Amino acid sequence: ELKVEQNPLFLSMQEGKNYTIYCNYSTTSDRLYWYRQDPGKSLESLFVLLSNGAVKQEGRLMASLDTKARLSTLHITAAVHDLSATYFCAVDSKTSGSRLTFGEGTQLTVNP
Amino acid sequence: ETGVTQSPTHLIKTRGQQVTLRCSSQSGHNTVSWYQQALGQGPQFIFQYYREEENGRGNFPPRFSGLQFPNYSSELNVNALELDDSALYLCASSLELGRGGYTFGSGTRLTVV
């Protein structure tokens, strides 16, 4: 059974600081996704990573994938308050069928 | 291009009742997946429909059932509602079995009292 673990689960940081969220998964992945969720809202797609060494950046967020280590990271640069949300990684793996297996989420709070 | 729409947005049901949630997939998408997200948790896969057939099911009891119609819209039915069924239900549509990624709807918030 595919397992996806994120850490930390809760992250409180000051504006202007950098931090990294980690996502480990237990079997081979075909695609790895990062989503953002605001309270009471649906999931907003941030990145999809397809291959080993993939790196994608959008604004202050950068995601990377190491398929050998079964690890993805979401790096936040110079955080601003608008980034406060819950971030999920999700793995789409043929070994578990065509479905997304989500991590528990990282609740990020950026303080002024 | 229209996105994924879900209805209703909110509803309240009594324990033991039945509920039907609806999802219209994005234009051109033939695959619909349903997820349950309890408060403070990540979404959990319920099942997926591809070309009107169920294509995979998560760890949910048979009282969770679904349908996909020829236009690829979908329904999620839950019988004999329990308090623990209170959650946000998310529908995601995609091209062939997830190819090209998944587009999520805005969700239906179900409260069982």
Side-chain angles (χ1 to χ4, degrees), chain B residues 2 9 14 20-22 24 26 28 33 36 42 44 49 51 60 86-87 89-91 94-95 98 105 109:
Chain B
T2 58
T9 54
T14 303
T20 298
L21 311 182
R22 294 179 175 84
S24 294
Q26 183 168 316
S33 306
Q36 180 196 66
Q44 300 290 316
Y49 279 84
R51 295 180 183 270
F60 281 82
S86 296
Y89 288 84
L90 295 166
C91 163
S94 64
L95 295 169
R109 171 73 63 187

Side-chain angles (χ1 to χ4, degrees), chain B residues 12-89:
Chain B
I12 300 173
K13 289 286 191 178
T14 303
R15 191 170 47 182
Q17 285 188 313
Q18 179 264 344
V19 69
T20 298
L21 311 182
R22 294 179 175 84
C23 172
S24 294
S25 59
Q26 183 168 316
S27 177
H29 287 187
N30 59 17
T31 305
V32 172
S33 306
W34 286 92
Y35 292 83
Q36 180 196 66
Q37 186 179 20
L39 198 60
Q41 297 183 22
Q44 300 290 316
F45 176 77
I46 303 174
F47 43 59
Q48 180 183 83
Y49 279 84
Y50 171 62
R51 295 180 183 270
E52 302 179 60
E53 297 287 332
E54 186 179 292
N55 180 63
R57 186 179 184 92
N59 189 26
F60 281 82
R63 57 189 186 85
F64 285 77
S65 63
L67 283 174
Q68 188 178 32
F69 299 98
N71 66 355
Y72 302 130
S73 65
S74 177
E75 287 183 352
L76 164 65
N77 299 291
V78 187
N79 292 322
L81 283 166
E82 301 178 358
L83 297 179
D84 284 350
D85 295 334
S86 296
L88 180 67
Y89 288 84

Side-chain angles (χ1 to χ4, degrees), chain A residues 17-53:
Chain A
K17 300 291 187 184
N18 305 330
Y19 211 86
T20 300
I21 299 170
Y22 298 88
C23 174
N24 290 91
Y25 53 95
S26 60
T27 67
T28 55
S29 76
D30 295 292
R31 301 185 194 95
L32 190 137
Y33 296 84
W34 284 95
Y35 291 94
R36 169 182 171 144
Q37 187 176 43
D38 292 298
K41 303 293 185 182
S42 187
L43 299 169
E44 174 190 352
S45 179
L46 296 175
F47 303 107
V48 54
L49 303 168
L50 301 178
S51 59
N52 188 44

